[in-house]
Amino acid sequence: MIRWSSFRLDRVSLLLVLIAGLSVVYAAFVTIKPNRIAKGESKYLVELLDQPSTWVLLGCLVVWAVVHLLSTRVRWRLLSANVALWVLLISIGVIATTFATKPIVRVTPSSAFWLLFGVLSLSITDSWVRLKLKPWYRLVVLGFYLLVGGGVLWSGVLDDLAIMREFYAREAKFWQEALRHLQLTLGALSVALLIGLPLGVWSFQVPALRQIVLQTLSLVQTIPSIALFGLLMAPLGWLAAQSTGAQALGISGIGAAPALVALVIYNLLPIVANTVIGLEGVAPAVRDAAKGMGLTRAQRLWQVDIPLAFPVILTGVRIVLVQGIGLVTVAALIGGGGFGTFVFQGLGQTSTDLVLLGALPIVGLAWVAAVILDALAESLTVTEQAA
Amino acid sequence: MQRLALLTALTVLTASTFFNPVLAENKPVVVASKIDTEGALLGNMIVLTLEANGIKTQDKLSLGGTPIVRKALIGGEIDIYPEYTGNGAFMFEAEKDAPDWKDLQQGWNKVKKLDYDANKLVWLPAANANNTYALAVRSDVATPNHLKTMTDFGQWVTGGGNSKLIASQEFVNFAGGLPAFESTYSFKFKPEQMVIVSGGDTANTIKAAADQTNGVNTAMVYGTDGAIEPAGLVVMEDDKNTQVVYAPAPVVREEVLKTYPDMVKVLTPVFESLDAPTLRGLNARIQVEGELAKDVAASYLKDKGFIK
């Protein structure tokens, strides 16, 4: 006899399975467009039953659903969700190859694909969270997913999807813009740290300064990014025109320089604010003890205050990095490059696939940065407590 | 301390990538363009033509929107980019109501003089194409109703023709836009006949008319948009010349032109060879078929014998 009461049917799994089921039946899986901008014809998964890959996919989804409804064993959940996710990716590629008969025809994933992708990713994330892995193992897991994801892309199975066609049409440019995107994000982060950390420490030590600095930075944060880029063009352009030294440093009113300066300005608030909060969080008793041990002011700052405040500062870095990866997109409008180039070109050509070629890597980068920095922050907090 | 060292290393690494020393002598011509499809096409034509004639260029194509590119040219950060004659009406506020803007040649003469006097910028000869506001109607509506010109269109709408327009806020409100069409061709859109969107992106208005979103069958377009024909739309000819003419022409800084006087000689025939149907066709290859702007520009220039 089956004892139903023994199954702990959790609401999250039920919801995920429900969404997956509804999207398979009521949402289109793939859109086939006769050219890049035409409306195209939507195909539901049930209309694709003549494709063997559809059956494999549906089979994997059923296994995934059954496991999630009937089992709480994390290992089985993880395995079934992973298999379903990779099969989903491969099957959309195989289906694209079937329909993309001419170079001008574009096959693009539709809502059911994205819903399934989202549901399976959530299910996988949920399982990993339940496993409560140590921070460093989480990075290994991340590396595994990046490796397998890269492998699927490299294998060529997705090459007939519209987004990959957009990619192959501008492969060299893609990597160039990817590098530029990272340079801008990391460059702005490093400069913001160089300015923000001392400013944060200083603001902590001088309470009168703290209010002014934090309020000014909060105010700056409300300026729309494109407006700030535009505002910086004039002074930087003037600077470049006045001195050849500034020109040699790559300073100019357009391109990377105004984008970098604007990003640094945006990045300052999280860095300064988190430095102040982190330092405020250091227990006065610890500081007194350090004083009692005869440490100098500088020693107390470097050996006590900063290490103890570091996890909080790192949270600021996480905010800056994830926010920065998104903000850099707008730099494309002032010649700063980055993935935004594809987003804005795509908008100008109503080519959703070109927009996605810019947007998906941005989302991916932000996600990877968040996972890495979360792991880093957690590992530091743990060591600090142990010590 | 290890963390600090790591941080410093990271800083130095990323900061060093921004040092790009530029040699003062033998400065290449910095070619830019707006970020739209036609900007990329014409910008690539300028780059390829100059390079084929031994003038070194630096590619800053698809730099940004009109204000950004214009500021960069005036500030001397770029040397040349394609601009539209009709935009002169906005660059020089005092002259914005001059009738000259509605004629290709007169508009070009006017902006050439104004821009040279004000900014020492030289307008090279323009293409014989007009990328101005126009109305385009679905062909399954235009053909049965015999709509070819704005006069036909005006009579059809006044007689109860079921037109539903999608257009930008700017076009609908700006006196020289829809109101000029309505008064010249004596028709009037009812509010429920219009879908108004923000931003002048005709890629979206064309798509809406092609897909009949919200019953739209008429779209605000620009005369040389590549997507018009593939989307099954027909442009209504502005037979009474109500609109400002937007003919694309290279605009170059005088200083650069003095260093490379040959630029006039090599760019003039290229732009004079372009007309509206040609530009529409080339834009369509980029937008509809997904070819790269650079490849389309190169194939056109080769076909016409401008480059080898």
Side-chain angles (χ1 to χ4, degrees):
Chain A
M1 198 181 82
I2 303 167
R3 283 174 31 238
W4 287 101
S5 59
S6 72
F7 295 117
R8 285 187 295 146
L9 196 67
D10 65 313
R11 284 188 203 153
V12 178
S13 296
L14 190 65
L15 185 69
L16 290 183
V17 170
L18 206 65
I19 295 175
L22 287 175
S23 54
V24 165
V25 182
Y26 290 108
F29 185 69
V30 65
T31 305
I32 299 135
K33 299 186 281 189
N35 64 49
R36 228 163 144 234
I37 58 167
K39 191 177 185 180
E41 181 196 356
S42 295
K43 293 254 184 213
Y44 291 70
L45 261 182
V46 285
E47 293 175 281
L48 297 166
L49 291 178
D50 51 337
Q51 309 280 327
S53 52
T54 310
W55 288 101
V56 178
L57 174 62
L58 287 175
C60 291
L61 285 172
V62 168
V63 171
W64 167 79
V66 169
V67 167
H68 272 63
L69 290 179
L70 300 184
S71 165
T72 51
R73 300 266 310 262
V74 177
R75 214 172 297 171
W76 289 112
R77 288 173 158 234
L78 206 50
L79 186 70
S80 63
N82 270 304
V83 170
L85 184 74
W86 298 119
V87 167
L88 176 72
L89 269 182
I90 292 166
S91 62
I92 189 97
V94 172
I95 289 169
T97 309
T98 321
F99 287 104
T101 41
K102 280 183 288 182
I104 188 174
V105 174
R106 300 300 164 121
V107 182
T108 196
S110 217
S111 41
F113 171 85
W114 295 114
L115 282 167
L116 288 173
F117 188 84
V119 161
L120 292 172
S121 309
L122 275 177
S123 145
I124 291 172
T125 317
D126 178 61
S127 300
W128 283 118
V129 169
R130 281 175 199 226
L131 283 177
K132 294 198 179 73
L133 287 184
K134 288 209 175 96
W136 298 113
Y137 284 118
R138 291 218 297 267
L139 293 185
V140 173
V141 171
L142 173 70
F144 165 77
Y145 279 99
L146 292 181
L147 218 63
V148 179
V152 170
L153 285 175
W154 179 78
S155 72
V157 69
L158 300 178
D159 281 2
D160 284 313
L161 279 177
I163 182 170
M164 291 307 285
R165 291 206 169 159
E166 298 293 340
F167 168 74
Y168 282 115
R170 40 182 79 71
E171 200 174 345
K173 181 130 174 93
F174 180 87
W175 296 116
Q176 189 187 322
E177 299 302 351
L179 182 68
R180 173 51 72 83
H181 205 97
L182 284 174
Q183 281 176 346
L184 279 173
T185 316
L186 295 177
L189 170 65
S190 347
V191 179
L193 280 175
L194 283 180
I195 304 171
L197 284 179
L199 195 63
V201 173
W202 198 25
S203 304
F204 171 70
Q205 288 165 345
V206 187
L209 188 74
R210 193 182 312 173
Q211 288 306 316
I212 302 170
V213 169
L214 288 181
Q215 273 170 16
T216 315
L217 291 178
S218 307
L219 199 71
V220 170
Q221 205 79 6
T222 63
I223 304 175
S225 49
I226 185 67
L228 190 57
F229 288 149
L231 285 175
L232 285 167
M233 269 179 68
L236 287 174
W238 179 83
L239 200 66
Q242 296 307 309
S243 89
T244 45
Q247 264 178 19
L249 284 172
I251 292 175
S252 73
I254 50 169
L260 190 74
V261 175
L263 286 168
V264 169
I265 295 175
Y266 282 123
N267 288 351
L268 279 178
L269 179 68
I271 301 276
V272 174
N274 279 50
T275 308
V276 171
I277 296 166
L279 291 174
E280 273 172 350
V282 178
V286 178
R287 224 174 259 137
D288 281 345
K291 222 179 207 168
M293 285 165 70
L295 294 185
T296 65
R297 225 179 128 155
Q299 279 174 326
R300 288 206 302 275
L301 182 67
W302 284 109
Q303 292 173 17
V304 180
D305 281 341
I306 300 250
L308 285 177
F310 201 72
V312 183
I313 299 176
L314 213 55
T315 320
V317 173
R318 179 191 188 278
I319 296 172
V320 162
L321 209 54
V322 174
Q323 161 188 285
I325 288 169
L327 273 175
V328 171
T329 314
V330 189
L333 287 179
I334 50 161
F339 283 126
T341 314
F342 303 127
V343 174
F344 292 109
Q345 276 176 7
L347 285 174
Q349 301 180 7
T350 28
S351 167
T352 323
D353 303 305
L354 187 51
V355 174
L356 282 178
L357 182 65
L360 288 182
I362 295 173
V363 175
L365 271 182
W367 177 73
V368 170
V371 172
I372 292 178
L373 279 165
D374 275 345
L376 219 59
E378 202 184 306
S379 76
L380 287 171
T381 319
V382 170
T383 355
E384 238 67 76
Q385 277 168 357
Chain B
M1 280 325 264
Q2 257 178 333
R3 285 173 203 143
L4 192 72
L6 195 75
L7 215 67
T8 319
L10 197 75
T11 312
V12 172
L13 197 76
T14 44
S16 63
T17 53
F18 285 96
F19 287 73
N20 294 318
V22 185
L23 294 172
E25 68 269 21
N26 223 348
K27 237 175 149 184
V29 175
V30 184
V31 184
S33 78
K34 301 182 194 183
I35 202 165
D36 61 344
T37 307
E38 189 163 283
L41 173 74
L42 296 174
N44 273 299
M45 284 191 185
I46 295 176
V47 169
L48 292 165
T49 309
L50 293 182
E51 288 279 346
N53 287 282
I55 300 173
K56 284 263 170 304
T57 60
Q58 190 192 340
D59 183 336
K60 287 249 178 176
L61 297 179
S62 300
L63 184 67
T66 307
I68 303 266
V69 186
R70 176 83 184 158
K71 263 191 212 170
L73 185 72
I74 292 174
E77 304 213 13
I78 60 172
D79 297 328
I80 183 170
Y81 85 93
E83 179 56 277
Y84 298 96
T85 53
N87 273 335
F90 300 96
M91 294 168 191
F92 302 97
E93 274 291 311
E95 303 277 349
K96 73 172 192 292
D97 296 322
D100 306 22
W101 301 121
K102 293 183 181 174
D103 180 87
L104 199 158
Q105 195 57 43
Q106 285 170 20
W108 181 80
N109 288 340
K110 191 167 189 69
V111 75
K112 183 181 169 72
K113 182 174 182 330
L114 289 170
D115 220 7
Y116 183 77
D117 292 348
N119 305 309
K120 292 280 175 283
L121 297 178
V122 181
W123 284 65
L124 302 185
N128 182 27
N130 185 359
N131 197 15
T132 191
Y133 286 128
L135 295 185
V137 182
R138 287 177 61 86
S139 55
D140 58 2
V141 175
T143 316
N145 293 299
H146 310 288
L147 306 178
K148 286 205 175 74
T149 63
M150 279 307 294
T151 304
D152 301 338
F153 182 80
Q155 282 166 359
W156 176 64
V157 173
T158 310
N162 183 27
S163 170
K164 190 163 185 188
L165 170 76
I166 181 161
S168 71
Q169 185 79 46
E170 192 193 4
F171 172 70
V172 171
N173 294 333
F174 163 58
L178 185 63
F181 273 140
E182 285 181 328
S183 64
T184 310
Y185 299 105
S186 348
F187 68 97
K188 185 82 192 147
F189 276 120
K190 297 188 195 87
E192 63 269 23
Q193 278 180 293
M194 289 190 283
V195 176
I196 298 172
V197 290
S198 70
D201 190 349
T202 51
N204 296 320
T205 57
I206 292 171
K207 196 168 167 59
D211 298 349
Q212 291 181 286
T213 314
N214 292 345
V216 162
N217 59 16
T218 308
M220 171 196 91
V221 300
Y222 299 128
T224 57
D225 280 339
I228 297 174
E229 280 153 43
L233 305 184
V234 186
V235 178
M236 299 290 105
E237 190 200 331
D238 183 13
D239 48 334
K240 290 181 186 162
N241 300 325
T242 55
Q243 294 292 318
V244 164
V245 173
Y246 285 77
V251 188
V252 58
R253 297 195 300 122
E254 191 195 24
E255 199 183 311
V256 178
L257 200 58
K258 277 182 178 157
T259 321
Y260 302 104
D262 278 358
M263 281 170 95
V264 187
K265 205 175 64 199
V266 299
L267 287 175
T268 301
V270 171
F271 273 74
E272 282 181 342
S273 74
L274 295 165
D275 57 14
T278 309
L279 277 177
R280 272 201 289 271
L282 297 176
N283 287 335
R285 281 171 60 187
I286 301 171
Q287 195 185 347
V288 182
E289 293 169 32
E291 282 187 71
L292 286 187
K294 188 172 189 171
D295 297 344
V296 175
S299 89
Y300 174 78
L301 292 174
K302 270 182 204 151
D303 283 352
K304 292 276 171 180
F306 292 121
I307 63 171
K308 281 183 202 101

